[in-house]
Amino acid sequence: MKTDPLKDTELHDKINRETARINWSELERHFANGAVVWVSHELDLVEAALRIAHDDKEHIARWMSEGKLAKVSDAQALAWQSTNALLWASVLSPFVLVQEDKAAPKDTLH
């Protein structure tokens, strides 16, 4: 029986505690390895990490098809590099999920 990722409070709390702001320059090597995943402002970063940890293929596939979850594009990486953007990040090995600060101006490089 598949468990509901949103009821996994222990993992949710762990992910939440380990989510932090980080400069893009510290993530570039992970980007070079294809391991950085962009999360839209429309999604909660911790919930996205939780669903990925639970291998919730249904939500992940839907978010990808809706353009709400994707590997970071070259254009995003260049834009973030030019400003050494400060991003929210959550490590979910082998991936690093990132999301722009919701208070920051939104760009159109998704």
Side-chain angles (χ1 to χ4, degrees):
M1 182 169 142
K2 188 174 180 180
T3 60
D4 181 351
L6 298 182
K7 292 185 179 176
D8 189 346
T9 56
E10 185 176 326
L11 182 57
H12 177 279
D13 292 347
K14 179 183 184 306
I15 291 169
N16 193 49
R17 281 190 311 271
E18 295 175 357
T19 297
R21 292 170 55 136
I22 188 169
N23 288 95
W24 174 250
S25 60
E26 297 178 58
L27 297 169
E28 288 178 325
R29 67 184 168 99
H30 299 287
F31 170 73
N33 292 327
V36 183
V37 177
W38 169 80
V39 179
S40 164
H41 286 287
E42 297 175 48
L43 301 177
D44 180 88
L45 181 62
V46 173
E47 180 185 345
L50 188 59
R51 290 193 181 274
I52 290 170
H54 274 266
D55 198 25
D56 186 343
K57 291 179 174 93
E58 180 183 330
H59 276 89
I60 296 165
R62 182 175 33 158
W63 290 340
M64 289 177 76
S65 71
E66 293 172 349
K68 296 177 182 176
L69 187 72
K71 284 198 173 184
V72 170
S73 70
D74 290 343
Q76 284 172 310
L78 286 171
W80 293 337
Q81 181 184 44
S82 71
T83 63
N84 195 21
L86 188 61
L87 305 166
W88 282 102
S90 181
V91 176
L92 194 61
S93 188
F95 301 107
V96 179
L97 280 65
V98 297
Q99 187 175 59
E100 295 103 339
D101 190 332
K102 292 179 183 180
K106 295 178 185 165
D107 60 47
T108 57
L109 298 175
H110 310 139

